[in-house]
Amino acid sequence: MPNDPVLIVEDTPVNLKLVRFLLTREGFDVRAAGSAEEALEILKDFRPRIILTDIQLPGIDGLELTRRLKSDPATSQVVVIALTAYAMKSDEKKAFDSGCEGFITKPIDTRTFPKLIQQYLGQTGAAPSNGHALPQQEDPQEELLREIRQSFTTDGMEQVQQLINAQSTGFDSAAAKVTAHRWKGAAAQVGYVEISQKARELEDLLQQNGPDSVDRRRLLLADLSRLFAEAQAAQQVR
Ligand code: MN
């Protein structure tokens, strides 16, 4: 269905870039929002057939966004698919309870993703099998992924150094948590499993914000700094 309008709501730039690329290449008319608030603004004069929304977003989350869309007659017919990093039954249920027609776990399978979206559009209400269930094989977007990996590690090294420096000058936990969340999702999407795990640990730590979390935070940031550097060095060898 060429030119079908699609709206992507995703706060992790790497994921947004990849999903946008995959769907634009299939001929979809793609618009993107980095937050639910931005999505609601776009929806004032853009009527997509399908909305792909991340669950964890800054501000209004993807579940609340879905509830709002489903309770508004102007948008209640739009197919809403949740994109989430958590392949957990409880999150799947939460997504359906909020009104989503479907659920795709990240990291997405780049080979099957466009077909999956077509299926959702073709058979509204019936959930096709999750694209993630298929094993990720040789990737036709190798060059795009290489480019994304490169900018991810370059940005990551800079951001982790800023966080390390900020420990002695005034650490902004809320901002760091947003960064850790992005690293977690982006690293998983481009295959940096260890970075994703450490970023998740850092996000959890900042979430708890316990009294003895400073030493642990220092260690995690040092680990992340090393992992980003290793990832970048490995790219230069190739
Ligand atoms: Mn997110």
Side-chain angles (χ1 to χ4, degrees):
M1 282 157 270
N3 302 322
D4 268 339
V6 179
L7 176 64
I8 311 164
V9 193
E10 167 67 78
D11 66 322
T12 302
V14 165
N15 290 344
L16 185 60
K17 191 171 178 183
L18 189 61
V19 171
R20 188 210 284 262
F21 170 83
L22 293 171
L23 295 181
T24 302
R25 200 183 50 169
E26 293 295 308
F28 288 100
D29 174 15
V30 181
R31 295 282 296 270
S35 68
E37 288 83 348
E38 197 185 329
L40 290 168
E41 200 55 38
I42 288 172
L43 286 168
K44 285 178 183 168
D45 51 28
F46 180 71
R47 191 49 26 95
R49 279 200 62 207
I50 188 166
I51 296 174
L52 306 171
T53 184
D54 185 22
I55 297 284
Q56 277 190 290
L57 293 165
I60 300 172
D61 71 13
L63 299 174
E64 176 59 22
L65 172 66
T66 305
R67 278 189 288 270
R68 292 192 192 188
L69 296 173
K70 291 299 173 182
S71 64
D72 182 345
T75 51
S76 62
Q77 297 306 306
V78 180
V79 177
V80 181
I81 305 299
L83 296 174
T84 178
Y86 302 130
M88 287 170 60
K89 277 290 166 198
S90 62
D91 286 304
E92 194 167 347
K93 184 175 183 312
K94 270 188 240 167
F96 285 125
D97 286 350
S98 70
C100 290
E101 273 82 8
F103 186 91
I104 296 175
T105 50
K106 296 183 286 189
I108 58 167
D109 182 332
T110 54
R111 290 175 315 127
T112 55
F113 185 73
K115 182 153 279 173
L116 202 58
I117 300 307
Q118 299 281 17
Q119 276 178 280
Y120 276 120
L121 282 170
Q123 47 187 70
T124 307
S129 66
N130 193 315
H132 192 57
L134 294 163
Q136 192 133 8
Q137 294 179 355
E138 176 210 303
D139 202 314
Q141 290 84 43
E142 202 47 52
E143 195 173 322
L144 175 83
L145 278 178
R146 201 159 38 233
E147 184 195 309
I148 289 178
R149 281 195 192 106
Q150 223 154 45
S151 65
F152 173 65
T153 52
T154 306
D155 292 350
M157 283 188 67
E158 196 180 306
Q159 290 161 341
V160 80
Q161 193 55 51
Q162 280 168 0
L163 291 180
I164 287 170
N165 295 344
Q167 294 190 111
S168 51
T169 55
F171 193 82
D172 181 347
S173 272
K177 204 171 67 178
V178 171
T179 303
H181 171 71
R182 287 186 174 162
W183 284 340
K184 179 184 74 178
Q189 184 61 64
V190 296
Y192 292 130
V193 179
E194 275 186 287
I195 293 178
S196 181
Q197 282 166 352
K198 288 288 174 194
R200 170 172 297 202
E201 288 176 41
L202 179 63
E203 187 187 14
D204 291 346
L205 181 79
L206 294 169
Q207 181 74 44
Q208 293 151 11
N209 210 10
D212 41 40
S213 62
V214 173
D215 287 342
R216 177 100 186 96
R217 188 179 78 197
R218 195 177 302 279
L219 285 173
L220 283 173
L221 285 172
D223 283 344
L224 280 161
S225 174
R226 176 179 54 80
L227 290 169
F228 273 117
E230 284 173 4
Q232 199 171 54
Q235 285 165 9
Q236 280 153 6
V237 170
R238 267 182 226 137

